[in-house]
Structures are given as C-alpha cells and as structure tokens.
Amino acid sequence: MRKTPIILSALALMALCLVTSCAHHKMMPDDIPIVIDVTASGSKALIEDPVDTVRLYKMISECYDISGNPNANAGFGVFGYKLAQNGSNTKLFDNMRVYPEPSARPAPTVAVTQVPWVYTPSRYWDPAGSYQFIAYWPYNDNVYSSFDTGTRSMTVHITNVPNWQEVNNTEKDYMTARRIGTRRYDFAGGIVNLSFEHLLAQLEIRAYYVGAFKEKDGGVKMKAIMLSESQPGLGDVLSGTDGSDDNESSEFIQSSEDAHASVVTSSVDTATNFLLMRNDAGILIPFKDELTGRFTIFSSAANDTVESSEGSVRIGRWLMIPRKWKGINISATYNYKVGDEMTDINPLVDLANAPKTPTTIGEDNFGYKTQPGKKYIITLMIDTSSGGISVKQIAVQDWTEHDVSRIYYNW
C-alpha cells in the first residue's frame, strides 16, 4: 500500500524534470558556436602577390615561428557585442585572440581556405540577438573597445601605430575587418567571414642618375633622404623617429557604423622635417643614358658596368599612416668618386639646407591624403652635371597589383 504514492511521486518528479528541461532548453541559445573565419579574397598581408590564397598562406605562416611552432601572441584580435531587443548589450569578444589551428599549419600546396581559425573559450549564437564584430591584425594587448549606448554601436581603438615603419621584415601590417547583422540573415552556417583591409599606406623611393659623370669610376650612391615642410612655418611633414622625436605613433579607430578605420587627427604629430632614410655606406644607383634610355650600373665583381635590368633602383620602402602629402619637399645626399676621393653632395650636416624638390603624391579627389592599401612610388633623378635632384615620376598602385594605375610627373 505504501508503494503507490512513492511510484506516483517518482512519476510526478520525472514529469516535472521533463517540463523544466524543455523550458530551460527553449530559453537557451541554439548551441551553435560562433565560427570566425578569414575570407581569402579580402585578406591582404604585406606580400606583393596577386594571388589571394598566397597572401592568406603568408598571413597564416606569420602565426608560426621558424621551427613551425605557433607564436604565443600571433593571430588577430576580435571584439564582438550582442545587442538584445530590449536594448541591452553584452560584450562577447573582448580582444579575443583568433589564430589558425596549431596542428593544421598548411604547406604551400594545401588549400589555405580549409585551415580552421580557432579561439577559446567558445561563444554561441543567440537567434534573438543582433551582432557587431570588428577584428584587427596583428594581435595586440593594448587594443580596446568602447560602446555608445545612445547609438548602440561599438568602437575599437588601435593605439601606438608607428607613423613610419621601414619594410625590413619587422614591420607590422595593420588591418581591420568589420561584420554586423543577425545569425539568420547575415552569418550563414554560423560563420563570421572576415575580409581584412589595410590601415596603412606604403611609400617606395627609387633613384637613378644622369649627367657627365661616368659610372665606371664606381657609381653614384644615395646616402640620405629628408622630407621637409611644403611651406616655411607650415610644419606639415609626418613625424617619425629621428634625433628629436622618439617612436612617434598615432591612434586608429573604427566604429561598427563605419566600413573603414580612420586615424585620429588629434593624435598625428607633424614636424618641419624628417630624416626618412640614412645609409652611411650608400646605396648604388644606375646611370641612365638619356639618348638610348639604357640603364647601366657599376659592378664591383666585374670592375665594370653592367646593364641594370630593373632600371631605377629601390632606395627604401616604408609603411606610413595616411596623411596629406601636397608639396612636401624632398632633399637628398649622395656621393661619387672623383679621382681617388669620394665627393659628398649635400652632406648630411647640410642636408636641411640642400636644394628641395616639392612632391605631391596625394590625389586631389582625396584632399591630397594618401590612401590606405595604396602604394606610392617616387622615382628620383640625380643630375651629376648640375648637382641637382628632381622627381621624374610618381606612380600609384594597389599593394597587390603590379600594373601602375596612375602616373603623373612633377617637373
């Protein structure tokens, strides 16, 4: 007789558990993880290759050391907010580091688009919420986000981005990506596909020389390049590391309402001049025969001149924050051998007073501001007959394009 209420109580308890379980399950998300992925066609690491998968392979490779082990802080950071219909917001990703699966590092022949990007701990979709994601490359502990409850939008702040970085395998190619929407309509399969875009512009300076001097005596060597203000007192040169400024940097921000990141104007330091390049040994540049257009360069191995297949020679390459560049002056120091002695033209001590050549590399329709993701190539010509220097060509192209998209001349 006593068993009946016990059995009924057990059944009742089971039914209660089932009801509670069902109610609890309905209140929970769908348990679909938020997957972060990189779109090959949009990611652009600092590689001049037209194939997007090659660039993505390089981006993945930079997350490993030379021994093939994953770097501790490699990868990119993600900030993400979930916005509920009641007006509340939840920060799901707070500078979460995302990196390629350590055991899945691909060989160059492997389809890099199949390499999974991972993070921990996992986050899950809420079908009732909307989402805002902003990612940046490379990962940095100092990046942070803020949220405006009025506009219900997030902003990511990337601080301490160097104004100038020489491209020498130590530079950082800063990029960002943004995605907003709901899981149902904007993130198929629960995947957040990120397409990264550059924050920085790139500058390349090339040079050659003409004149009476013959390169058989040892050639002409570029030793230093200085940028100076477009007009006295304007101080419009982007500052950088030199004798008076130490590690000058700027801050970038990107809102979830903006498709692109932008530099904070108030954080940009300018100067009257900036010593962009210095090489005490000098960089050998070719001679151009103006009658034939043929380029030749001195070869110490042959102790004679040989044909220069690339024409002008690259003096240097830099990443720079986007900045107005209209009428900025370039001056240079170089030397060549006269008899048994090297003659310095515009020596470094007098470089600030050397003849200046104005350059404009920004385009009118952009307010003469250099653009992120663009490469600006300035070709200088040294005239050894007069000792002068001039800008013979300025070309603008995308980083991953090899065909010049625009050329204009400054003479």
Side-chain angles (χ1 to χ4, degrees):
M1 296 296 294
R2 294 180 180 178
K3 291 182 179 180
T4 301
I6 294 175
I7 294 174
L8 290 175
S9 298
L11 292 173
L13 180 60
M14 183 181 297
L16 178 62
C17 289
L18 289 173
V19 171
T20 304
S21 176
C22 291
H24 175 71
H25 183 73
K26 288 181 179 179
M27 293 174 61
M28 293 294 288
D30 286 352
D31 293 336
I32 297 177
I34 298 175
V35 177
I36 306 294
D37 199 8
V38 180
T39 303
S41 61
S43 66
K44 298 178 181 178
L46 181 56
I47 299 99
E48 292 182 305
D49 196 293
V51 182
D52 53 9
T53 53
V54 173
R55 298 196 301 271
L56 180 55
Y57 170 76
K58 187 68 174 182
M59 187 176 182
I60 293 172
S61 297
E62 288 182 4
C63 295
Y64 298 84
D65 62 23
I66 58 176
S67 301
N69 300 313
N71 292 323
N73 291 318
F76 57 89
V78 175
F79 292 88
Y81 284 78
K82 180 183 76 172
L83 281 63
Q85 294 178 348
N86 63 6
S88 64
N89 69 83
T90 303
K91 182 187 284 189
L92 295 179
F93 292 80
D94 187 8
N95 203 17
M96 182 80 77
R97 187 172 73 91
V98 181
Y99 49 94
E101 170 59 47
S103 62
R105 183 184 184 186
T109 56
V110 174
V112 293
T113 53
Q114 303 301 314
V115 174
W117 294 82
V118 297
Y119 64 89
T120 185
S122 296
R123 299 288 186 263
Y124 297 88
W125 291 103
D126 181 347
S130 62
Y131 291 82
Q132 300 177 359
F133 298 97
I134 296 180
Y136 71 94
W137 170 281
Y139 180 80
N140 188 322
D141 286 332
N142 296 323
V143 179
Y144 66 97
S145 69
S146 58
F147 191 88
D148 189 324
T149 56
T151 61
R152 301 193 75 196
S153 61
M154 65 179 289
T155 299
V156 170
H157 305 252
I158 304 175
T159 61
N160 301 321
V161 178
N163 290 348
W164 291 97
Q165 298 181 76
E166 184 179 0
V167 177
N168 57 9
N169 295 322
T170 64
E171 73 285 345
K172 293 183 178 180
D173 177 18
Y174 289 88
M175 299 184 287
T176 62
R178 178 199 68 149
R179 290 294 306 275
I180 58 176
T182 62
R183 194 206 74 192
R184 179 179 180 182
Y185 294 105
D186 303 286
F187 303 106
I191 300 173
V192 181
N193 280 310
L194 299 173
S195 179
F196 283 91
E197 296 184 346
H198 295 288
L199 270 65
L200 304 175
Q202 188 177 165
L203 173 68
E204 180 175 318
I205 295 183
R206 306 182 68 86
Y208 66 92
Y209 75 94
V210 298
F213 175 70
K214 298 301 181 183
E215 73 281 5
K216 66 180 181 180
D217 293 324
V220 172
K221 295 182 179 180
M222 296 286 293
K223 301 187 69 175
I225 295 176
M226 178 175 283
L227 306 178
S228 56
E229 57 191 348
S230 59
Q231 298 178 30
L234 198 56
D236 53 354
V237 176
L238 181 65
S239 66
T241 304
D242 61 14
S244 58
D245 300 317
D246 184 29
N247 298 323
E248 299 292 354
S249 61
S250 297
E251 177 182 354
F252 282 78
I253 59 172
Q254 183 166 2
S255 166
S256 55
E257 297 182 341
D258 299 325
H260 308 285
S262 60
V263 65
V264 180
T265 305
S266 60
S267 72
V268 180
D269 291 318
T270 55
T272 58
N273 57 66
F274 170 52
L275 186 61
L276 179 66
M277 166 263 179
R278 177 176 179 175
N279 186 317
D280 291 335
I283 299 173
L284 191 67
I285 63 175
F287 169 77
K288 180 181 180 181
D289 188 321
E290 294 185 285
L291 293 177
T292 64
R294 181 170 174 259
F295 286 88
T296 54
I297 193 166
F298 179 78
S299 169
S300 57
N303 195 29
D304 202 348
T305 59
V306 296
E307 188 160 356
S308 176
S309 58
E310 62 176 326
S312 59
V313 164
R314 179 194 291 168
I315 302 302
R317 189 158 55 120
W318 300 266
L319 302 187
M320 58 184 179
I321 68 168
R323 177 66 184 166
K324 184 177 180 180
W325 189 313
K326 182 182 181 183
I328 300 296
N329 287 288
I330 291 182
S331 50
T333 179
Y334 59 96
N335 66 10
Y336 58 85
K337 192 174 182 180
V338 177
D340 294 328
E341 301 294 331
M342 296 299 295
T343 299
D344 285 322
I345 307 298
N346 305 326
L348 192 63
V349 292
D350 298 325
L351 188 55
N353 300 316
K356 297 176 174 58
T357 302
T359 61
T360 297
I361 66 175
E363 298 178 72
D364 183 18
N365 56 315
F366 292 122
Y368 298 101
K369 184 178 179 181
T370 56
Q371 297 300 298
K374 293 292 184 181
K375 180 178 179 180
Y376 300 84
I377 305 172
I378 300 175
T379 301
L380 302 176
M381 184 188 77
I382 304 297
D383 189 338
T384 57
S385 297
S386 64
I389 179 174
S390 60
V391 176
K392 295 300 291 184
Q393 186 184 72
I394 295 177
V396 183
Q397 65 184 53
D398 289 334
W399 284 21
T400 55
E401 289 182 358
H402 294 274
D403 295 327
V404 172
S405 58
R406 179 174 66 92
I407 300 177
Y408 61 92
Y409 300 87
N410 280 30
W411 71 71

